[in-house]
Amino acid sequence: MFKAVTDVEDTGYAGWIRDVINDAAGFASVAFSQTGPEWEGVADADLFIAGISLKQQDKLERLKELVRKHPNLTLVLAASDTEDILDAWKVESAAFLRGKRNPARLASVVRDVQARVDEQKGHKLQMSWKNVLRFIPMEQIVSIEKDLRKTNVCLADGEVCTSYMRMDDVLEQLDENFIRIHFSCIINRRYLQEVRRDCVILRDGRHLPVSRTYARNLAPLMKDAS
């Protein structure tokens, strides 16, 4: 999970920002909140979308200081569609948004923040195969599937790592982004494209069946999507 905060006052614009962030994150966990002029909660955030306008030139100095004090905070500047903040370039930021013109730019920043947060956590799956011990970063794992006695770990780059580990032992190592959908299958919610009653569709196009026993694990996602 990563934390995103905005101080954009326009509720419509802030809602658009929230929707872009959630869409870019897919089914991964994101804590999104709005803050006031005192920037409560910003120091602990991973991503801050700061609203700026021609009336708030002094805010740019505050933002410079914020970036200096919190180097791990990713900053995005957001202005209205009608304003061109000429001095915005003086603040080190990952992106500058003018209105709702370029959601792809914000989505790209969100994915970069996700990758950084995952890397900082350093969570890795430890598994062995033929006396070789491997440590696989969690963010690279798309799914884990049982095939008879073998357990196959499918990675985002197409590689499949094999082990004889029990699924329950694998599950104990995984973080909150992993969901068991079948006795023989665990998925990484980061790579979920769509959730249906009897199956899930991953971003790589694969359809994986959901058993009745484990369907309840997807209930929170179905609720969020409704």
Side-chain angles (χ1 to χ4, degrees), residues 23-34:
D23 286 345
F27 286 92
S29 300
V30 179
F32 180 85
S33 62
Q34 285 186 266

Side-chain angles (χ1 to χ4, degrees), residues 124-159:
K124 295 183 180 181
L125 172 65
Q126 178 178 322
M127 61 182 296
S128 61
W129 174 247
K130 294 183 177 178
N131 296 321
V132 176
L133 186 62
R134 290 194 61 173
F135 297 88
I136 305 173
M138 298 289 181
E139 67 273 14
Q140 295 180 12
I141 301 172
V142 178
S143 64
I144 302 165
E145 303 168 40
K146 194 73 173 176
D147 181 15
L148 298 178
R149 292 183 59 230
K150 295 180 180 179
T151 298
N152 297 320
V153 179
C154 304
L155 306 185
D157 62 2
E159 182 184 1

Side-chain angles (χ1 to χ4, degrees), residues 1-2 25 27-30 114 118 121 123 138-139 141-142 174-180 186-192 221:
M1 175 185 290
F2 77 87
F27 286 92
S29 300
V30 179
Q114 272 188 298
D118 287 338
K121 286 181 179 178
H123 291 167
M138 298 289 181
E139 67 273 14
I141 301 172
V142 178
L174 302 177
D175 62 31
E176 70 279 0
N177 281 301
F178 289 85
I179 305 170
R180 193 167 192 172
I186 300 169
I187 58 170
N188 186 342
R189 60 190 287 169
R190 300 176 182 91
Y191 294 95
L192 265 177
L221 299 185

